[in-house]
Amino acid sequence: MKSTRLPPELQAAWEEIETYAKEYGLDFFPIIYEVLDYRTLYETAALGGFPIRYPHWRFGMEYDQLMKGHIWLGSTIYEMVINTNPSYAYLLEGNEMVTQKMVMAHVAAHVDFFKNNMWFAHTNRKMLDEMANHAARVQRMIDRYGYETVEEFIDICLSLENLIDYHAPYIKRPEAQTHHSVLAEEDLPVVEGLPVERSYMRDYINPPEFIEQQRKRLERERARQKKFPENPQKDVLLFLMNYAPLERWQHSILEIVRDEAYYFAPQGMTKILNEGWACCRYDTLVFTDQGVLRIGDIVAQRQAVRVSDGETPQAVYDWAAFENYETIRVRTRRGLELEGSVNHRVMLPDGGWRRLDELQVGERVRIGGGQNLWAQQYVALDWSPVRHATLAQIADAAEVEVETVIRYQRSVRGVHATTPASLVAAYDAAIADHGPIIRRRVPIRVPEVVDERLAAFLGYLCGGGHISAVRHAIELMTADEDQARAFADLVRSLFGIEARWRRDGNRWRVSFYSRDAQDFLVHLGLKTGVAAREKRVPDVILRSPKPVVAAFLRALYDCDGCAGDAGVVLSTASEEMGRTVQVLLLNFGILASRCANTDGTWHIRATGRSAAVFFAEIGFGLARKQAALAHSIEDRRRFQREEWSDEIVAIERGRAHVYDISVHATHRYAAQGFINHNSYWHSEIMTKKALRDDELIDFADHHSGVVAVHPGRLNPYKLGLELLRNIEFRWNTGRFGKEYEECEDLAAKLSWDKQLGLGRQKLFEIRRLYNDVTFIDEFLTPEFVMEQKLFTFRYNRDTDMYEIASREFKEIKEKLLFRLTNFGQPFIYVEDGNYNNRGELYLRHRYEGVELKMDYARDTLRNIQRIWTRPVHLETVVDEKRRLISFDGRDFSERKMD
C-alpha cells in the first residue's frame, strides 16, 4: 500500500542527502516522496508517474509490459520523479538503504534540472492537477458518448501526438493562422475596367495592356489567398484543432493529447543531459573586485565578480536564492555577526568546516578579510538636480510682487478676495510640475564620480554632520577649527558653494543651504533629520577603490574617533555603521572589536598590530589625533600576536530569505568576517558525501547496472554522466579554446593542465542553457569518442547480424544528432490546407537522408484523414525520387513528382 510519510530512517537519509545537494549548489523545488509497493509503483509508472490519468487501454498495456519485465527479466524501476512544484518522487518499498539514498541523490539532481533548465521554463508546474482535470473531462465524455466512441478517437489522437512543434514554446514562427473558412468562397471578382459610355472610347479609357495587368494582379492575389496556411506549419495538431471539422468533445480530446505531449517534450529533449546532472542573509557583506557588496545584490544581479576566499581571489560562477529558510545567527566575542541557513558552513581555525546549526557557544571560528580585494574604478554618478520652482518665478508667472506670493504661502495658501486668481493658478501649477517651492535657487556643481574628496565629505557628514529636512541646511559640528576649515573647503571644491562657519559655544558650526545638494546627498543614501542611530556607510563608498574607502574612514574617525593607550576607537550611535566599519577594516588587515556601551553607543576598537596597520593604511586627518595614535604604537611591547580566529558567544534561530554564490577552485568566500563554504550529482553526492564504507559494494553494484551499456541501445545515464565528467575535467585543466585546439604536440595535449578550475562553473552553465542536441553538438569530441569506444552499427542482411559500421567521429556525431533531433522522428509540415482548391490537406516530409517507414506513413495518413474528413496528401522521398502519397478515406494512391 502507499505510504505518504517516510519511515524515520528514510527521512533521516533524505535530510542528509538534501543537505549535501544544497551544499553543492543544487536548487530544487520541494520534493515529496512516496514509498510504494512494486505493483502500485508500476501502476503509477504506466500512467507516466501520475496517480490519475484518463482511462485508456495503452496504460494497461504498459503496466503489463512493466510487470512482465519485472517478473521474468528482473528489471527494476530505481527512481521516478514528476516535474511539478512541489515535485513528487517515488521509492520502491523494500529496496536497500543504499539504493534509496542513490535514488534520492538522483532525484535531487533531476528536480534541480527541472527548475533551472531553460527548456523546462514553459512547462506547467501544476500538471498533477491538470492530469486529474483531464481524467475528469474524459470520463464525462465517456458517460455521454460511450466508452468505445471516445476510446477510438483517443487512439487516433495518440497516434499523432508526435506531430507537434517541440520548439514552439521558445521560438515564435511566422506561421499562418487564417481564421476564415477556405471552402465557402464568395463570388470571384472580374476585371472590367472603368465604365465607358461610348464604345469607340473603350480602348483609350481601358487600354488592353492595362486590363491584362489588372487581371494578372487579381490572379496573383487569388492564388495568395488560396495558399493556406501562408507558411508551412510544423504543429500539425494545432492546425487540426483550429481548422478540422471537429465536434466540441473531439476538440477537447485533441487539446488534452496535445497539452500532455508538450508537457513531456522537454524531458525527451534533455534526457541525456538530465540523467547526467547553503546560503547567507541578503545583507551579508562580501569582499569582491567590484567593492564590498551585499550577497543578495550579487545573486539578484547575477554578478560574475571575483571574491576573496580568505587567501586569493576566485571567480563566482553560479548564484542561488531560497525563500523563507530557517536560519542561525552567530555572534563572536569581537562582535562579528553572520546569519545563514542552518546548513551553511563556516571555516574553523584548523581549516575544517562546521554547519551553523552544529556550532556551539565557546567554539572558535576562523576570521577572514578580503586580503585587500577592492574595486579598481571610481563609482560614476549619474544625477542631475530636480527643477524646483522659485518664489520669483511664480511671481513673474502671476504678474505679482514676490511679497504677495510669500503672504499667500504663509497663510497656508488661504484664498482671500484680494488674492489674484493668476497667483493661485501659477502656484498650483508650479507644485504639480516641480514639487516643493523654494525661495531662491543656488546653482551647484554636481560631482561626476565618488573620489577621495567626495568620500571625505561623506565621512564628515556620517560622523559629525547633520542634514535638516526643515531648514534644508547641511551642517557639521566640530571642536577642531582645522576640521571646520577642511569641511568648508570640500563644500567649495565639490559644489561651488561657500559654506558659513562660526563659533557655537566651544564648537564650530559649518553650514550651507542648498536644496539641490540635499537631494544629491539623499540620492547617495544619507538620512535627513534626527538620524544619528540610522546612519550607515553609503553604498557608493562600499563599491569604491581602497583610497576612496580610506578617505571616508579617515574623515569619519576625525569626527567620531580617538587614539590613545587603548588603541584607536570609533564611537557611533548607529549599530549598522559600526558593524559595516568593522567589516571594512578587515579588508585593510585590521582586526577590530565591536561592543555596545551603556550610553547606547557602539565602540569599534583596534589595538596593537591592528592599530599600527590603521596608522599606516588609513590614519587620522587631524594632526593631533594622528600624533596620539603614533605615540600609542611607539611602544611595540604592547603588540601581541593577533589570532585571526574568534570565539562564538551567542547563537540565535530565525527565518529569512537566504542567498548563495558558487566559487570555483576553493569553493569558499570571505563575507561578514567569516570564511564561508559555497554550496553531478547522484554519484558525486554519494561517493563523496553520503556513502558509508559498508555501503560501497552495494552502491557499486547498483550504479554499474544503471550506467551499463547494452547492445543496440543508447544508455542516457552512461553517456550523460561520462560526458559531464569529461567536460568538468576539460574546463578544470583548460583543455578547450583556440590555443588547445591548435596545439599539434600530442604529448603536450596529453599533459595539458592550465589549472583553471572552471569545471563546476561550466556544469552549472550547461544545466541552465542546453538540451541534448546542443549538448552533444558542442561538447562531444573525438577524444571522448575514442575513450568511450563509441561506434555506429548497421544490420547486415547477408549474415543476419548487426556489425560495426564506422568508428569515425563525424559519422558517430551525425548519428547521435540525427537520433536526438526531433527524437529521431521525421519532420512533417502542413503545406496547404486547401490543396487543389478543394479543402484537401497537403503535408510535406522534410527529407534528411532517411526514408519514411511506409506502413507507419500510411497509418498516420489514415488517422489524419479521419480528423480532417477530406483527402490527405503527403509529399516525401522514395528511392531518391519525390513521391506524393494520398488517402481519400477509402484507398491509397501514389504518384511520382519528379
Side-chain angles (χ1 to χ4, degrees):
M1 294 298 291
K2 182 169 66 174
S3 172
T4 57
R5 304 175 70 179
L6 287 176
E9 63 275 11
L10 285 181
Q11 182 63 37
W14 166 236
E15 291 173 359
E16 179 187 7
I17 296 292
E18 182 182 31
T19 299
Y20 294 144
K22 289 180 178 178
E23 287 175 358
Y24 273 109
L26 299 186
D27 172 21
F28 39 83
F29 295 126
I31 302 173
I32 300 175
Y33 283 97
E34 301 275 358
V35 180
L36 308 179
D37 61 65
Y38 78 96
R39 288 188 179 276
T40 308
L41 179 65
Y42 283 94
E43 287 176 5
T44 308
L47 296 173
F50 292 88
I52 300 176
R53 295 288 296 275
Y54 56 82
H56 190 259
W57 61 265
R58 180 185 67 167
F59 302 129
M61 180 189 69
E62 292 182 0
Y63 171 74
D64 185 61
Q65 290 179 341
L66 288 172
M67 286 298 297
K68 286 179 177 177
H70 176 71
I71 295 172
W72 301 109
L73 301 178
S75 62
T76 302
I77 296 177
Y78 282 107
E79 53 89 12
M80 187 165 50
V81 58
I82 303 176
N83 170 30
T84 55
N85 181 16
S87 291
Y88 286 82
Y90 303 99
L91 302 175
L92 179 59
E93 186 179 70
N95 272 345
E96 298 172 333
M97 179 57 69
V98 65
T99 304
Q100 306 290 38
K101 291 167 69 173
M102 185 178 72
V103 170
M104 290 175 176
H106 200 76
V107 165
H110 272 309
V111 181
D112 167 84
F113 197 87
F114 291 153
K115 181 177 180 180
N116 295 284
N117 184 266
M118 63 168 287
W119 300 94
F120 284 89
H122 299 278
T123 55
N124 184 356
R125 306 294 188 182
K126 300 297 181 183
M127 201 61 182
L128 198 69
D129 297 333
E130 194 70 19
M131 289 290 191
N133 291 337
H134 290 173
R137 290 168 63 188
V138 172
Q139 188 58 56
R140 288 196 296 270
M141 297 174 199
I142 291 173
D143 294 341
R144 176 173 296 183
Y145 302 105
Y147 183 86
E148 291 185 358
T149 301
V150 173
E151 184 182 59
E152 182 181 8
F153 190 74
I154 292 177
D155 289 345
I156 295 172
C157 295
L158 288 177
S159 71
L160 308 175
E161 64 178 348
N162 63 322
L163 298 181
I164 60 174
D165 183 359
Y166 293 105
H167 296 91
Y170 322 101
I171 302 174
K172 301 302 180 184
R173 304 185 190 275
E175 294 174 345
Q177 293 294 318
T178 308
H179 293 287
H180 64 272
S181 173
V182 298
L183 301 179
E185 295 186 349
E186 300 176 356
D187 293 336
L188 298 179
V190 178
V191 176
E192 297 179 349
L194 299 174
V196 179
E197 295 181 359
R198 295 176 176 84
S199 59
Y200 64 86
M201 295 293 293
R202 184 180 305 279
D203 290 341
Y204 295 97
I205 296 177
N206 296 305
E209 60 272 15
F210 171 76
I211 295 296
E212 183 63 22
Q213 181 182 5
Q214 294 301 309
R215 185 177 293 110
K216 290 181 179 180
R217 182 191 62 79
L218 187 61
E219 289 177 355
R220 287 196 303 269
E221 180 65 21
R222 191 180 302 156
R224 188 192 66 80
Q225 292 178 355
K226 288 181 180 178
K227 179 64 175 174
F228 166 64
E230 294 182 8
N231 299 289
Q233 183 165 323
K234 188 178 178 183
D235 193 339
V236 178
L237 291 192
L238 178 62
F239 188 86
L240 294 176
M241 284 175 55
N242 287 335
Y243 307 115
L246 297 171
E247 296 183 27
R248 290 186 61 182
W249 71 270
Q250 292 174 322
H251 186 279
S252 295
I253 293 290
L254 189 56
E255 180 183 36
I256 288 172
V257 170
R258 180 175 176 272
D259 286 348
E260 294 186 4
Y262 271 111
Y263 170 79
F264 288 112
Q267 299 180 37
M269 296 166 67
T270 58
K271 191 168 184 60
I272 289 176
L273 184 54
N274 195 350
E275 296 298 353
W277 189 254
C279 323
C280 297
R281 227 176 73 145
Y282 184 95
D283 54 2
T284 300
L285 296 177
V286 183
F287 301 105
T288 81
D289 60 353
Q290 300 298 318
V292 181
L293 307 179
R294 293 175 180 83
I295 193 171
D297 294 331
I298 296 174
V299 172
Q301 300 167 22
R302 304 183 72 81
Q303 299 182 54
V305 295
R306 292 175 68 82
V307 300
S308 170
D309 67 358
E311 296 177 0
T312 59
Q314 303 290 352
V316 171
Y317 65 84
D318 200 48
W319 309 262
F322 305 92
E323 296 184 358
N324 195 26
Y325 255 49
E326 183 181 0
T327 59
I328 302 288
R329 178 194 291 268
V330 297
R331 187 172 74 253
T332 70
R333 189 166 298 282
R334 288 185 178 273
L336 293 167
E337 295 182 351
L338 176 73
E339 183 175 359
S341 57
V342 293
N343 60 331
H344 184 73
R345 294 187 294 165
V346 294
M347 183 178 282
L348 304 178
D350 62 1
W353 298 94
R354 186 67 52 84
R355 286 169 48 126
L356 291 184
D357 62 354
E358 295 174 346
L359 282 174
Q360 297 180 4
V361 172
E363 282 192 282
R364 299 188 72 83
V365 293
R366 180 174 166 182
I367 302 302
Q371 276 61 47
N372 270 303
L373 182 63
W374 302 96
Q376 299 302 310
Q377 303 293 329
Y378 285 146
V379 175
L381 299 174
D382 184 14
W383 183 88
S384 57
V386 177
R387 292 179 54 209
H388 292 290
T390 65
L391 296 177
Q393 290 172 334
I394 295 175
D396 290 342
E399 298 181 348
V400 298
E401 298 294 329
V402 173
E403 288 75 11
T404 304
V405 181
I406 294 175
R407 287 195 299 271
Y408 173 64
Q409 187 180 42
R410 286 178 176 173
S411 64
V412 197
R413 297 169 59 195
V415 180
H416 303 284
T418 58
T419 302
S422 60
L423 172 57
V424 177
Y427 198 97
D428 291 343
I431 290 180
D433 293 340
H434 306 296
I437 309 300
I438 61 176
R439 289 181 174 273
R440 62 180 181 277
R441 174 175 295 282
V442 179
I444 68 167
R445 287 196 298 265
V446 179
E448 296 181 353
V449 296
V450 182
D451 57 11
E452 288 84 343
R453 294 177 307 142
L454 181 55
F457 175 80
L458 295 175
Y460 283 134
L461 280 183
C462 288
H466 171 76
I467 304 175
S468 172
V470 178
R471 298 184 295 113
H472 310 302
I474 302 167
E475 297 179 328
L476 174 73
M477 297 291 292
T478 176
D480 290 274
E481 183 178 356
D482 290 343
Q483 189 175 2
R485 182 177 292 107
F487 183 75
D489 290 344
L490 285 172
V491 173
R492 184 187 309 109
S493 65
L494 288 169
F495 304 109
I497 299 175
E498 290 294 333
R500 296 182 297 177
W501 51 303
R502 58 185 174 82
R503 295 287 296 186
D504 188 353
N506 62 348
R507 309 183 74 187
W508 292 92
R509 181 186 297 272
V510 187
S511 60
F512 67 100
Y513 299 83
S514 171
R515 173 67 73 113
D516 288 341
Q518 177 185 321
D519 291 347
F520 173 71
L521 295 173
V522 170
H523 170 74
L524 294 184
L526 274 69
K527 303 290 186 180
T528 61
V530 180
R533 297 188 181 279
E534 299 177 14
K535 289 182 178 179
R536 54 184 294 179
V537 179
D539 283 354
V540 291
I541 297 297
L542 297 178
R543 294 187 283 113
S544 292
K546 179 180 179 179
V548 175
V549 179
F552 172 85
L553 292 176
R554 186 178 306 118
L556 181 68
Y557 271 78
D558 277 351
C559 292
D560 292 340
C562 63
D565 292 342
V568 56
V569 181
L570 176 72
S571 179
T572 176
S574 169
E575 181 179 4
E576 177 65 21
M577 175 71 76
R579 182 184 295 112
T580 305
V581 167
Q582 183 186 24
V583 173
L584 286 176
L585 292 176
L586 289 172
N587 205 22
F588 287 92
I590 300 169
L591 191 57
S593 298
R594 183 175 63 93
C595 62
N597 294 322
T598 55
D599 62 355
T601 61
W602 293 83
H603 278 185
I604 294 85
R605 184 189 310 274
T607 61
R609 295 180 185 276
S610 287
V613 175
F614 182 93
F615 178 86
E617 296 281 347
I618 301 171
F620 287 95
L622 293 174
R624 66 176 181 84
K625 291 189 176 182
Q626 184 73 342
L629 177 58
H631 178 73
S632 70
I633 62 178
E634 282 179 356
D635 186 0
R636 303 184 69 87
R637 290 176 300 176
R638 295 178 179 273
F639 283 26
Q640 297 179 354
R641 183 173 180 271
E642 291 181 325
E643 291 287 344
W644 280 70
S645 66
D646 205 2
E647 179 187 355
I648 299 294
V649 296
I651 299 175
E652 301 174 2
R653 288 186 174 269
R655 298 195 73 85
H657 296 344
V658 291
Y659 304 81
D660 195 21
I661 53 178
S662 294
V663 181
H664 83 68
T666 57
H667 307 295
R668 66 178 191 243
Y669 57 94
Q672 210 68 25
F674 296 76
I675 306 298
N676 305 268
H677 199 289
N678 62 214
S679 320
Y680 65 20
W681 296 137
H682 85 272
S683 62
E684 184 82 2
I685 293 171
M686 287 294 292
T687 57
K688 295 186 178 180
K689 296 290 185 179
L691 194 63
R692 299 197 310 267
D693 292 345
D694 60 342
E695 296 173 331
L696 179 60
I697 300 300
D698 288 334
F699 170 76
D701 178 51
H702 290 299
H703 183 66
S704 64
V706 171
V707 300
V709 178
H710 303 282
R713 289 190 356 216
L714 176 70
N715 187 342
Y717 292 87
K718 174 68 173 178
L719 183 59
L721 178 62
E722 294 298 342
L723 190 49
L724 285 174
R725 284 174 174 168
N726 178 262
I727 292 166
E728 184 174 30
F729 172 74
R730 287 169 55 201
W731 260 256
N732 278 337
T733 57
R735 300 189 182 195
F736 62 93
K738 183 178 180 181
E739 182 183 0
Y740 177 77
E741 297 297 335
E742 294 181 351
C743 178
E744 297 181 356
D745 187 342
L746 181 59
K749 295 187 79 169
L750 290 175
S751 60
W752 193 284
D753 189 0
K754 297 292 186 180
Q755 297 184 351
L756 299 183
L758 299 176
R760 191 62 55 83
Q761 173 184 354
K762 195 64 180 178
L763 294 187
F764 276 99
E765 176 187 319
I766 291 169
R767 171 254 257 167
R768 288 195 302 271
L769 303 176
Y770 288 79
N771 62 22
D772 285 349
V773 173
T774 56
F775 178 56
I776 295 296
D777 185 42
E778 182 161 347
F779 297 108
L780 191 73
T781 64
E783 293 83 0
F784 180 82
V785 167
M786 291 177 60
E787 179 184 331
Q788 296 297 318
K789 299 180 175 60
L790 299 181
F791 57 86
T792 63
F793 63 90
R794 62 171 173 243
Y795 177 70
N796 189 325
R797 289 188 174 89
D798 295 335
T799 62
D800 193 28
M801 295 177 64
Y802 286 93
E803 58 186 29
I804 293 177
S806 174
R807 293 189 184 272
E808 292 295 324
F809 169 72
K810 182 180 178 181
E811 294 188 27
I812 293 171
K813 184 174 181 178
E814 288 179 350
K815 205 80 169 181
L816 273 174
L817 290 177
F818 180 81
R819 178 170 180 173
L820 296 172
T821 302
N822 210 48
F823 309 151
Q825 299 169 353
F827 288 94
I828 306 295
Y829 296 87
V830 175
E831 285 284 343
D832 195 347
N834 190 28
Y835 182 58
N836 288 332
N837 199 28
R838 294 187 299 187
E840 298 177 1
L841 187 61
Y842 190 98
L843 307 174
R844 180 176 61 85
H845 165 224
R846 192 177 81 189
Y847 179 70
E848 295 182 327
V850 178
E851 296 181 2
L852 294 177
K853 292 184 177 181
M854 296 312 298
D855 53 343
Y856 283 23
R858 290 189 176 90
D859 287 342
T860 300
L861 280 182
R862 179 182 287 108
N863 287 335
I864 292 177
Q865 192 278 331
R866 294 179 67 179
I867 294 178
W868 191 251
T869 71
R870 301 281 296 169
V872 179
H873 311 271
L874 173 64
E875 176 188 331
T876 186
V877 174
V878 180
D879 295 330
E880 304 298 326
K881 302 290 185 179
R882 292 172 62 213
R883 297 288 189 273
L884 187 67
I885 305 170
S886 304
F887 182 69
D888 60 6
R890 291 176 297 180
D891 301 312
F892 286 97
S893 61
E894 181 177 334
R895 68 180 177 85
K896 298 178 181 180
M897 300 184 67
D898 292 335

